[in-house]
Structures are given as C-alpha cells and as structure tokens.
Amino acid sequence: SVVLPSPFQAAPPLMRVCLVVAAASASECPVYSDLADRSVAPEAFSMGKMAGVWYTLATSEPTIPSFCKNCGMNNFSIYTTDYRYETTVGCDIMGKQKNFSIGPIGGHMGNASAPGSCMENFAPFNTTIESILVPNFFFNFTEDWYMSYACGPFLGGTLKSFFLGARSPVGKSKEWIQEKLDWAASTGKINLTGVTVNDESFWQGTCWASGAGSEESVLV
C-alpha cells in the first residue's frame, strides 16, 4: 500500500464511508489504447495537468445516488506516481441543497507510454490499497475540459462511471455538453446509461444560487 501526504486529513469527518470494490478484470473494461484520444498521448498529456478543481458537467457514477449527482466538483492533487482527489456533490435533501465531500479517492497514474491509464479506488486513511484498485481512464483532455471512464466489477455488477469535467461551467450549454457526450458514445467503448447533465444554466440557477447549503464531510 502507498500512503501519501494529503490536505484531506486535516478536516475531521462527520461520517466515514468505506466502500470496498473488487479488483477489476480486463474483460470489464475497454482497452485504453482503443479509447484514448490523441490529446492524451504521452507527448501531449501528463496527470500533472489534472491538478486543481474541475466542475462536473456530466456523470454516470453509480456510487453517487441520483439525488446527489448535481453541483459536483473534483479537486485533484498529483504526486510522483500516485494521485488523490476529493469529490464534492450537492444532494437534494428535503428540498434543500446540501454539499457532501467524499474522499480521498485515488491511486496510481499510468506509465510513461499511457499516462492517463490509471488505477484507483477509495483510499481509506489516505492509503492506496492494491487489491481494490480498478481502472480509471483519462481518455480525452484539453486545458478547459476532460473525460474519464472508470470500469470494473462493483457490488455484484459492473462499475461503469463516466465523467465530463471542466475548469468552469460558464459557457457550457446543454448543446455543448451533448456534443461531447455524442463524441464519447461514438467510440463504441463508453456506457453512458444514467448520465446526469449540469450545464451552465443549472450551475447558475441551482448550485450557485442556492449556495448548496452547509458542507458535510464524508471521508474514507
């Protein structure tokens, strides 16, 4: 296991959640080289470019309940061979928006020939546990937005988790997001079932307008 320094350890959690996911088999996931856009070629991309905050514009993440798939943000910290991130989501609880932060999550970055072909899972006590890691492919990237896809066995089924994140939701209309989803679907490698979309108008009218209430911490 690998233990990393992390700012996530500073805040005492109100809740602790540890979801253990079985290690993935190759048959559960596409081949990274078949999925990866040329924007994540080693001469163009490194996981260091993922550092910082990204706003979630679309996700099919099955471990997040449907009423919590809004106003999401991922905050990445990149180290030498490993990475961590904390996910913040907005949950509609009795008509009020509440923030919950889940993390740290993370694992190993890809090798020099495929830097976006990562392995990750929840990292309890900020520790990378080899036996529960599943693939997470960062397969399309610009300085403004990225796509990732995690896959593998999950609670007797199959984990299929797509993320479209951006440095800012401003200027990201439903049409803009749909173009990106259509591109992802056109690869024939991505399952977008259950995807939730938060465009600029949603962020402005729901996330930022409500302030999403007080923040709760859910650390693993």
Side-chain angles (χ1 to χ4, degrees):
S1 64
V2 177
V3 181
L4 296 176
S6 173
F8 305 139
Q9 293 178 322
L14 298 179
M15 298 172 60
R16 288 190 180 273
V17 175
C18 183
L19 299 179
V20 178
V21 180
S25 65
S27 62
E28 301 289 346
C29 300
V31 176
Y32 181 71
S33 59
D34 291 343
L35 181 61
D37 181 72
R38 60 185 179 182
S39 63
V40 293
E43 64 271 17
F45 175 75
S46 72
M47 283 297 290
K49 293 185 175 183
M50 288 297 302
V53 174
W54 298 85
Y55 293 80
T56 302
L57 303 180
T59 184
S60 62
E61 172 59 58
T63 65
I64 300 176
S66 59
F67 61 89
C68 291
K69 286 185 181 179
N70 295 316
C71 309
M73 292 184 291
N74 289 329
N75 189 359
F76 282 81
S77 297
I78 309 298
Y79 302 97
T80 304
T81 59
D82 280 37
Y83 65 97
R84 294 286 187 267
Y85 63 95
E86 183 178 83
T87 294
T88 301
V89 296
C91 299
D92 184 354
I93 299 177
M94 300 181 67
K96 294 184 178 181
Q97 197 83 353
K98 295 291 184 180
N99 277 356
F100 289 86
S101 293
I102 307 167
I105 304 167
H108 304 314
M109 293 182 278
N111 60 32
S113 63
S117 181
C118 301
M119 298 289 290
E120 69 169 52
N121 207 320
F122 292 99
F125 306 106
N126 199 32
T127 301
T128 300
I129 301 177
E130 305 294 333
S131 61
I132 67 171
L133 297 180
V134 299
N136 191 15
F137 298 150
F138 295 82
F139 67 94
N140 200 341
F141 179 87
T142 73
E143 297 295 335
D144 185 46
W145 57 269
Y146 80 94
M147 293 181 185
S148 66
Y149 189 64
C151 47
F154 175 70
L155 299 181
T158 302
L159 174 74
K160 297 176 181 177
S161 174
F162 170 84
F163 269 85
L164 170 63
R167 288 299 187 186
S168 171
V170 175
K172 308 303 190 295
S173 65
K174 286 183 179 179
E175 293 75 17
W176 185 95
I177 295 171
Q178 189 60 52
E179 287 181 358
K180 302 300 180 286
L181 296 178
D182 289 345
W183 181 90
S186 73
T187 66
K189 308 294 183 182
I190 300 295
N191 187 318
L192 296 176
T193 302
V195 69
T196 297
V197 170
N198 285 179
D199 65 350
E200 176 184 14
S201 63
F202 186 91
W203 274 92
Q204 291 180 336
T206 301
C207 307
W208 293 334
S210 68
S214 59
E215 183 166 339
E216 308 286 336
S217 293
V218 182
L219 302 189
V220 298

